[in-house]
Every structure is written in structure tokens, then in C-alpha cells.
Amino acid sequence: MLGLPLTFAAPLALAALVALPALWFLLRVTPPRPRRIDFPPLRIMADLLPRRETPARTPPWLLILRLLVAAFLILAVSGPVWNPSGLGGEAGRTPLVVMIDNGFSAAHDWRERQRVATDAVETAARDGRPVALMALAEPAAPIEARVPADALERLRAVAPRPHLAERATHLSVLAAFFERTPGAAALWISDGVAGPGEDTFAKGLADLVGKHGTGFTILRADRPPALALSAAESGGRLTARALRASPNGRDGGTVRALDAKGLPLAEHDFTFPDGATEAAVAFDLPVELRNGISRLEILGERSAGAVTLVDERGKRRRVGLVFGGTSDQAQPLLAPTHYLSRALVPFADVQEPRGAKGVAESVAQMLDAQVSVLVLADVGALDAATLERVEAFVDAGGLLLRFAGPRLAAGNDPLVPVRLRRGGRTLGGTLSWDSPKTFAAFAPESPFAGLVPPADIGVRRQILAEPDGELPGRTWASLQDGTPIVTAQKRGQGLVVLFHVTADTTWSNLPLSGLFIDMLRRVVALAGTGAAPAGDVARPPAAVLAPRLTLDGFGALGAPPAGATAVPADYAERGSFEHPPGFYGPADGGVAVNALTVADRLKPIDFAPLASARTGSLAGAETLDLRATLFTLALMLLLLDTLAGLWLGGFLRRTGGRAAAAAFVLLCLAAPDFAPAPAWAQAQATGRPNGIDSALATRLAFVVTGDEAADTASRAGLAGLTQVLSNRTALEPGDPIGIDPAKDELAFYPLIYWPIVAGRPQPSAVAIRRIDAFMRNGGTVLFDTRDALTARPGGPPTPEALYLRTMLSTLEVPELEPIPADHVLTKAFYLVDTFPGRYATGQTWVEALPPAADGTERRPARAGDGVSPIVITGNDLAAAWAVGKRGEPLYPVVGGEERQREMAFRGGVNFVIYTLTGNYKADQVHVPALLERLGQ
């Protein structure tokens, strides 16, 4: 209207503006209420006017005020909407297709994009236009214009995908839609980041717009705001690259390295050089810490593209090299260790003996250094003590990698995977009829499957294996004539692998090829993974790996979606709809698929082919409903009209200050946003507990540890449990609150959740004394070590367990026992037998009760006379309870079964009901026993 982006939901209501002139005359002849003068004779003389006047008409200023009230009310009823996108200004009721990017690059400002899409659909609904919705990161499927309500319903279900949008696949669908619905308009809410085949999409879209005369609008950010991480490279350091499509003002950030439990291991800041779109991020850590890294993420960037998962291929193994030759042979380009070291350094931590005298001392040095892989190059028979240590190393899960040579060919060594012939076999020599042999293609079940042997590899000599029934199952690689060249055998928890050639170039040119590096990489990757199955034959994992845990568009790990399919064991491509980023295969030998590969970079979309389209920004495309503003203005003017009438009637002059106070109250009510908040509300907004707020409602409390991740999970977890308690029980708890045991009053809280963070300082003596008093006076503390995933029965205590032991060593902790099957906790509200959380393998401990007296019948419920002051678990309960603002789970449960999360909520309800009504619930369980005693 008038070139302005203003539309009306009920434009016919504007016809009432025609009645304003009639209202002018009606108000003009209706004067205000006459002034009232009190009768006292003396006072009346002072109030009389010098000349006799009686108002016959409404004052002009009051008339204008009342006309404005009427005009604002009429405009508000007409439903005015400010629509900067201009979508509502198009003539007719032609269909509208809304295309929204929902790849991982849209996750950064997804709420803003969803809001813009919602505004567009609601605008179309006001105009009576059908809407078709297309999510460009979904698989291409036919679209159809439907009523806007259906489009809104589908829009609520659209969420960011953890991969780049392949927009080009939707061109055929769009072409078919425009053919069926000529004159349709299109809106593209773009994230500005180019995906695969993006040039094809922009050009094809421009051709469609020109061919069908489609009204086309693009809404996008001025510069793509998304940040991403490339897949990590495993070299001397674990390296990834922070990426952006173009300079966008976000010139730096922090990348955090996390372990499998989500605990931080290291952080590294990065800064983009001026005008650059990538920045290297390298973690130089000890091997033990580096091998614990399971995930890299950009802090504050909730996107699957900002997450890099690290699998066993990214672990850096410690490899020890031992050469059995003499010192004059241990020279560069001559010694086998030279070729091995050059091949292993890019992906392993290579160590060699220093100052060792003899093979036995060299092997001892390497085993003392706790290597994962022990490489013996041309080492003959070992002495009894060394042989025993090496066998123990292999049985415990180590990998022994051996290379042939004259010494091994001349000896009889038990540390080989197959029986060997003495002397070996010479190919291509002066007295030989055979020419050098090359490698045969690797079998599908071999760890080297997928590698292509170069045709120029030649083997001139090898050690032969004695043929027997077990030889085919132990062969990983063969020559063209079928003779084994690499064999392996599983022993205990480890592997013994033998290359039937030397590690130098005397027997073959294999060490000079890239195949040698790839073969060593795959062999070393098997160290400590348990990839080989039980039995005598060592085989790799399955050639196809099923998805185990996958990322959603916001970078959270969870159960795989229904459309996820398995990947090959050597999969190295970026994630897609069929193969979403995540972990595939078993936990100890799978692969990680990431949203981006090592070579991927982010690029901006080239919108040049779409120069004729209307463009707008996301920030400026917000649709504003002006009805509330107009109604508020009308109400304010009505209040002013009321005050003006009171003033003209003399009422305000008689009442003085009381009328002014009443007017101030009315204005405060009309504008509540300007009223000052009471002190108790301000205290609640700060998140700190106070006596009034905590005493008025039953609240769950958690101890603030100072660890951001743990405190966030605790707050979200108790908030989720509070919602469940409100929905399922008669309890109406208040919002959970974080406390400091050393400063805050604990008596208000029946249950305190305390997550254990091993890296934090121990609580002060004051905090310990107050916790002790709290438990003595009837309170219950639920300690959660969150270590069920790493704790091993009979093994050494975890750092969290040691932390808790140290903390409780100064308290008088009662004797504890695992929750018995007949404990009242298992019957307090729900009937449960376990108390799982994010993990389900941990044990839950409560105060142990004395056994039943001899000769008496065991009571059906325990803890009948009190509540356990302490509960200890390791199942990470808060992570299982944690929910977001929309009620969605924030953390996946290990195992991926939502039934486990439900059981965690039921156990949490039992904990709360038990702490509040423990005695009562226990008595209810054994009511028959009480009635029997009363009858006696």
C-alpha cells in the first residue's frame, strides 16, 4: 500500500474510518461534565468566574484526542502487519514456495531462519495463498502447494541436518512445480554457504525464474556467519582447520578437545588472519592425552560442521623400533629402522633404543616405555627372559610387528604367526628361473582391503611359510603366485604380524612405495583396538560398519536417524543424508564420519546469476504485527481522556495528591515494563538462592562445582526432573537452584545433587562441616561420580572415585551397600529394580541397614525408620534428565534406547519421593505387618 511494506489482515475494517467525520460532530456537541462547585457561601465567591460561561462544545484538543482513540482502534482491528520482505504485497493469490537451507551451516542462527520462514507462511495465510515448503538439505521429493497451516506444521518439524545441503538435486522438483503452478512466487532463505554443485543450482534456478517469470526473493545474512572445522589430520600433532565462507567479523574463537565422556582435555585459541577464511588449530599433547581425544569442537558454535570426531585412525600410537643388526649396519639408507621411521612418523610416535647393548636390552627399553607396537626388524631368536616379556606384552593387548631378514630366516622363533621354512626363497637371482613377483590384489577380508598394489613393486626374496590348514586364515597379503607375504595371528588380547620381506630395500622395493606407508598405517591402527575376533585367526572388522552414534544438525551425539545406512570400513568421504556424521561400527574399532573432510573448505554462494531477484537480510525481514502497539496506544489515550475529563470537571483540584497518585498507578499499570522489580524478583533473576525464595517452594538443589559443562548439565538435569515431578506427581516444586555448601543455607533443600569433577579443588573444611550437619539433620546428598563408562570391576579406582573418597574421608559416612531389591527406594513411587542415568552399568549405593533378627520374618521393605543421608552412583543421572527449552533431551544415553531415559526419570522421581516421604512410604509397604501387630 502506497509502496510501503504494510499489509492488513482485515482490510474491510478500514471502512470504519469513514465514520470519523460523524464522530467529530457527535463529540463536538457533547460537552464535558459540568464543573461542580461546593455550596459554602464564602468559598463559592472565590470560585465564581469573572464572566458567566457555560461550556457548550467539547474543547478542540479533547476532540482530537478522542478521534485519535477511535482511529487507533479501527486500525488495530484491521490487523496491520509490517512486512519488509514484501511477500504480502504481490497481487493475486498465487502459490508461494518457501525454500529454506537446513544444512549444518544454517544451525548457527536457525531460530532466526525459522522465524523468517514462519513469518512468510503467516503472511501467505493472511493473503489466502497456498504454500509449498522445501527443505534443501533433505532428499529431493515432489512438493505441492497446500494450505498454510500444513506448511506451518511441517516447518516446525524441519531441523538442521548435519551435512551440507545438496541443492542441485532439487532443481528438477522446482521445475516440475513451476510447470504445474504458473505464476507461483518463490522465497529462498539462504545460509550463504555453497554446497556440492552450487554453481549448477544458482544457474539452474536463474533459468527457471527467467523461463516462468517467477517472482523470486532471497533472504540471507550479509555475510555467512557459520564457522566450521575440517576433519583432523593425524601427523606429529593433531591438526584441524577452522573455516568460514568469507570474512564475517568473527575473527577468532576457541577449539576444545573432549574425551569420550565429554570431559575437556585441552583448548586452543585460533585467529583468522586479515581476509583469510581458514586458520590452523594444532594440539601438541602427550600421546596418552592425545589418544584420549574423541571430539574437537568450536566453543559456542552449535553446529555439526563445528565438530570433528576422532576415531582409532586418529589415535597416535607409540611405536618402538628394534633392529637386530650390527652397529655398522645401523646407518641411514642402510638400516631397516630408517625406512620404518620415515614411514611411521606421520601417524605414530616413533621411539628407538638409546645406549642399549644388544637386542635384549633394546627390547626391554621399549617395553619399559609402554609402547603400543613393538617392531622387530630382522631379529632372530630371543633369550628366555626377553621372550617371556614379549609374550606377556602381546597377551596383554600389544601388537608385535616383525620383518624378515637373514637372522630370522636362519632361526627357529616361536614369536611368528606361521611356521617358517629355513633359508627363504630367492626370486630373480642369477641361479633362479623365477622373476621378481609383485603383490596380488588384497582380499576383501584383509585389513589392507581397498589398497591398490602398484604394478612396479617387486619382491626378490622372501621367507616361505609351511603350508597347513591354518595358513589361509592367517594370510593378509600374498604374491601373485599365492605365497603369503604378510601373515598375522591373534595371541591373547594382542596380535603378531609378520612381513615376509625385510624393512629395507635388500629383498624388495616395497619400503620405497606409498603402499608401505598405507600398510603400516592400517597395521598400527589395530594396536589395542581389539579389532581381531577371538580365535586363532586375526581378521579386521566387518567390511561394512553400521551407524552407532550420529550427530544432529546442532552437533549433539544421539541415536542414528531412520535414514542412516552403513558405510564401508575405509569410508573417507564427508557426511551425507545416507551417511550422517558420527561413529560407525564397534566402539573399539569403528570409524568416524565428519561433516567435512580434510580437504574441504567453505565457499560463499555466487548469487550473480540471480541478480534480478529481490534480496533482503534476515535481520530486516522480521514481520511485525502492529495490532498490540495500536491497542496499547488507544488504551493510553483513553487513560489520558479520563484524566482530562476529571480535570475539566474539577475533580483533580479537590482531591489533590491522591488523584495524582492514582494517575501514576494507572500509568504504571499501562506500562508494566517500566515498573521496578521487587528485591525478591531481582534476587531470583540472579540465580542465587535466598531465604525467602527457597522457603516458599520445595526445590531441588545442585552443588556448583565451577566446571561449566558439569554445572550446565546439573541445572538442565534437575530442571527436567522438576518438570517430570510436576507432571506425574502431586508435588509442585520450584525451579532448581545451584548452591555453594560453604555459603548458602542448606536446610531448605531435601535433596542435593553433587556431580563429582576430578579436576576441581576439594571443598573447604567449612563446606564439609555444613554438609555433615545437613546429612545428620535429615537431608540427603546424591553424589554422582559419572564414571560408569570408565570404571572397571576389580580395577583401579577412577579419578572421580578417588576424589570422592578424599572428600568423604573426613565425614562420618555410614556403612554403604548396593540398593537391595526390597529397599523402599525401589517402591517409593514407581516399581523399579535399577537406577540408570546416561549410563546403566554403574552401581548405586545407599546406607546399609542391619540384617533382620534371627528367627524373625524379614520385613518386605527396608529403611523403614529413616532415610539414607547419602546416595552414591556413577551413572550420570543429570545428563539423562537434562532437557532443553522445548523439552528435547540434551545428552544421548549410552546404548541409544529411550527406554533407559524413561527409567532414569522414574528412578529420579523415586529419589525425590523417598527423601520427602521415606518413612510414610516404607510403612505403606508393610501395612499388613502393622495391622497384624495391632491385632495382637
Side-chain angles (χ1 to χ4, degrees), residues 18-73:
V18 180
L20 287 181
L23 185 62
W24 168 278
F25 289 104
L26 180 63
L27 294 176
R28 190 163 177 257
V29 299
T30 306
R33 178 183 177 184
R35 235 178 112 190
R36 181 177 178 179
I37 301 176
D38 294 333
F39 176 72
L42 296 178
R43 184 63 179 170
I44 195 173
M45 301 301 295
D47 288 337
L48 289 176
L49 295 176
R51 52 197 178 96
R52 192 179 182 120
E53 292 182 355
T54 301
R57 293 184 178 89
T58 302
W61 61 270
L62 184 59
L63 182 62
I64 294 174
L65 180 66
R66 292 176 176 176
L67 287 177
L68 285 176
V69 172
F72 284 149
L73 288 175

Side-chain angles (χ1 to χ4, degrees), residues 813-825:
V813 178
E815 181 183 354
L816 302 177
E817 66 175 350
I819 295 182
D822 60 350
H823 198 280
V824 69
L825 261 173

Side-chain angles (χ1 to χ4, degrees), residues 214-229:
T214 301
F216 194 72
T217 304
I218 302 175
L219 298 180
R220 58 187 177 91
D222 295 334
R223 296 180 179 180
L227 300 181
L229 274 180

Side-chain angles (χ1 to χ4, degrees), residues 524-727:
V524 171
L526 296 175
T529 64
D536 195 34
V537 180
R539 295 187 185 274
V544 177
L545 303 176
R548 176 168 52 90
L549 293 172
T550 58
L551 294 173
D552 62 13
F554 296 105
L557 275 173
T565 58
V567 300
D570 57 348
Y571 188 80
E573 302 297 326
R574 72 171 68 93
S576 62
F577 180 82
E578 295 80 12
H579 310 307
F583 291 108
Y584 289 71
D588 54 359
V591 299
V593 176
N594 287 295
L596 297 173
T597 64
V598 174
D600 284 336
R601 299 294 183 266
L602 296 186
K603 297 186 299 182
I605 297 176
D606 182 11
F607 292 100
L610 296 167
S612 61
R614 290 182 297 174
T615 60
S617 65
L618 296 178
E622 182 177 4
T623 299
L624 300 178
D625 192 337
L626 302 179
R627 287 176 294 183
T629 303
L630 293 174
F631 275 122
T632 302
L633 289 175
L635 177 61
M636 296 289 293
L637 293 179
L638 281 174
L639 290 175
L640 290 177
D641 178 78
T642 302
L643 294 176
L646 294 175
W647 180 74
L648 291 175
F651 179 75
L652 293 182
R653 298 179 184 179
R654 292 191 305 271
T655 55
R658 288 178 296 175
F664 176 75
V665 171
L666 289 175
L667 289 176
C668 288
L669 291 176
D673 291 340
F674 298 99
W680 64 267
Q682 296 176 358
Q684 185 175 5
T686 62
R688 295 294 305 159
N690 59 74
I692 297 176
D693 194 31
S694 300
L696 292 179
T698 301
R699 297 176 183 272
L700 303 179
F702 67 94
V703 173
V704 177
T705 63
D707 183 89
E708 181 181 357
D711 294 341
T712 301
S714 298
R715 184 178 298 277
L718 294 190
L721 181 59
T722 297
Q723 293 179 15
V724 172
L725 287 167
S726 300
N727 295 335

Side-chain angles (χ1 to χ4, degrees), residues 718-866:
L718 294 190
L721 181 59
T722 297
Q723 293 179 15
V724 172
L725 287 167
S726 300
N727 295 335
R728 304 186 185 183
T729 71
L731 179 64
E732 296 181 359
D735 294 333
I737 203 162
I739 61 173
D740 182 354
K743 300 178 181 179
D744 300 321
E745 178 57 54
L746 308 180
F748 300 117
Y749 313 106
L751 178 66
I752 296 177
Y753 177 78
W754 194 324
I756 302 300
V757 181
R760 302 298 302 171
Q762 287 284 338
S764 63
V766 175
I768 293 296
R769 288 198 302 269
R770 299 190 69 178
I771 284 292
D772 184 52
F774 172 76
M775 293 192 296
R776 288 176 180 271
N777 293 326
T780 298
V781 182
L782 174 54
F783 293 100
D784 195 342
T785 57
R786 308 179 300 154
D787 60 353
L789 195 64
T790 57
R792 296 292 181 269
T798 62
E800 293 81 5
L802 290 175
Y803 182 96
L804 183 59
R805 287 183 186 179
T806 303
M807 183 172 65
L808 298 182
S809 61
T810 57
L811 295 175
E812 294 185 10
V813 178
E815 181 183 354
L816 302 177
E817 66 175 350
I819 295 182
D822 60 350
H823 198 280
V824 69
L825 261 173
T826 64
K827 308 173 180 67
F829 192 85
Y830 288 104
L831 295 178
V832 298
D833 52 4
T834 59
F835 295 86
R838 189 177 186 183
Y839 317 115
T841 58
Q843 187 65 264
T844 304
W845 300 76
V846 295
E847 178 184 5
L849 296 175
D854 295 340
T856 61
E857 183 180 358
R858 188 172 184 179
R859 298 173 63 185
R862 308 185 67 178
D865 297 327

Side-chain angles (χ1 to χ4, degrees), residues 391-451:
E391 288 178 339
F393 163 76
V394 175
D395 291 340
L399 191 150
L400 176 63
L401 176 59
R402 304 198 66 173
F403 286 86
R407 295 168 184 80
L408 182 62
N412 187 10
D413 197 327
L415 285 175
V416 290
V418 294
R419 292 188 299 115
L420 303 178
R421 290 185 181 181
R422 290 192 173 222
R425 173 195 184 193
T426 302
L427 303 170
T430 305
L431 301 178
S432 175
W433 292 95
D434 293 329
S435 60
K437 302 294 184 181
T438 189
F439 277 54
F442 297 116
E445 65 272 11
S446 170
F448 309 133
L451 300 179

